[in-house]
């Protein structure tokens, strides 16, 4: 039943996302013993105008 | 005050979304007695590259 | 694959939550045609100290 | 460590978002004493087809 | 219509939260011109066992 | 900058969470090349009354 939401800065390739969901699923299986079939992952791509650290947009860095 | 966030695979029509927000709002009104005016719904469309089950992207199924 | 996150002010009974997940699931099935088995719902209870509208906590109303 | 997620109806300018992250970060620093460097903000733009109040999409208002 | 979700490490006082929602609401009003009445804020308290940076729980720091 | 939110059914031990954040962080580092220091993870524990699949609460299974 684990549900994972991942926010990433946009620009990740399909190959990177494919690897990410494989590896994150495996990480959850190995750490808490949930079956892989129960792991759901949602990725959300953030534009650099939509992410800020310390009061500053990533697009302004 | 209920706030509902719904993640859907992209491709839903406007008519489907219109129906979804009507029906989900009504479902909440009927189940917990919140007034319809207080129900907020956010829909987020996921691309098939951004959703995975069992370590596999929906776009790879 | 729809994933629904519902924030509610705390104090809902188990019976209300049971009804809520039944009815919201049905609402999604009827509106977008997703099979019920694919609908996941997460409920999160908010204390009145953790919800604000118009800059005012619910516990201060 | 505060993490802030903000959903906005689409159409905000870059200047508005820049101001928003500055001011929201400052608001958190002043209210709870977290250092600005620890404040993360994610903005998500909603289309009017993806936001509903009282069972009605914003695009239908 | 802005909806703000704030994750904080637990331990904030009611007075801090009261100030936080006042100031964050004002920050949004001033930056994007949304009316205060439309700003919704949800606070979620995280225990130190439920927050990690760089692969390390806050409770292990 | 990746931000990961993980919803788990309650009952995980501290040791399991410690392992989870280590392994998930590593999974993200290896798949997209983000530095470990930039990976933030939030865990949220769900009670069985707050999670449903197919219209049925986990506590009713």
């Amino acid at each position: 039943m684990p549900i994972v939401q991942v926010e990433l800065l946009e620009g990740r390739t399909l190959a990177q996302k494919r690897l990410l969901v494989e590896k994150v699923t495996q990480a959850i299986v190995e750490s808490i013993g949930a079956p892989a079939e129960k792991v759901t992952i949602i990725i959300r791509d953030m534009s650099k105008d939509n992410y800020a650290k310390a009061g500053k947009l990533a697009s302004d860095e």
Side-chain angles (χ1 to χ4, degrees), chain A:
Chain A
M1 291 115 169
I3 296 158
V4 183
Q5 304 178 62
V6 185
E7 315 270 348
L8 299 175
L9 279 180
E10 65 187 354
R12 306 311 179 175
T13 64
L14 180 54
Q16 285 178 313
K17 290 181 178 179
R18 184 179 289 127
L19 205 57
L20 183 147
V21 301
E22 272 175 37
K23 285 184 178 289
V24 169
T25 299
Q26 204 172 340
I28 289 173
V29 169
E30 290 170 5
S31 56
I32 64 167
E37 302 78 50
K38 299 279 189 185
V39 180
T40 300
I41 301 178
I42 298 166
I43 298 171
R44 287 193 286 259
D45 303 296
M46 298 180 283
S47 90
K48 289 196 166 186
D49 295 352
N50 280 350
Y51 175 82
K53 190 86 196 181
K56 204 166 187 173
L57 293 175
S59 54
D60 285 338
E61 301 268 323

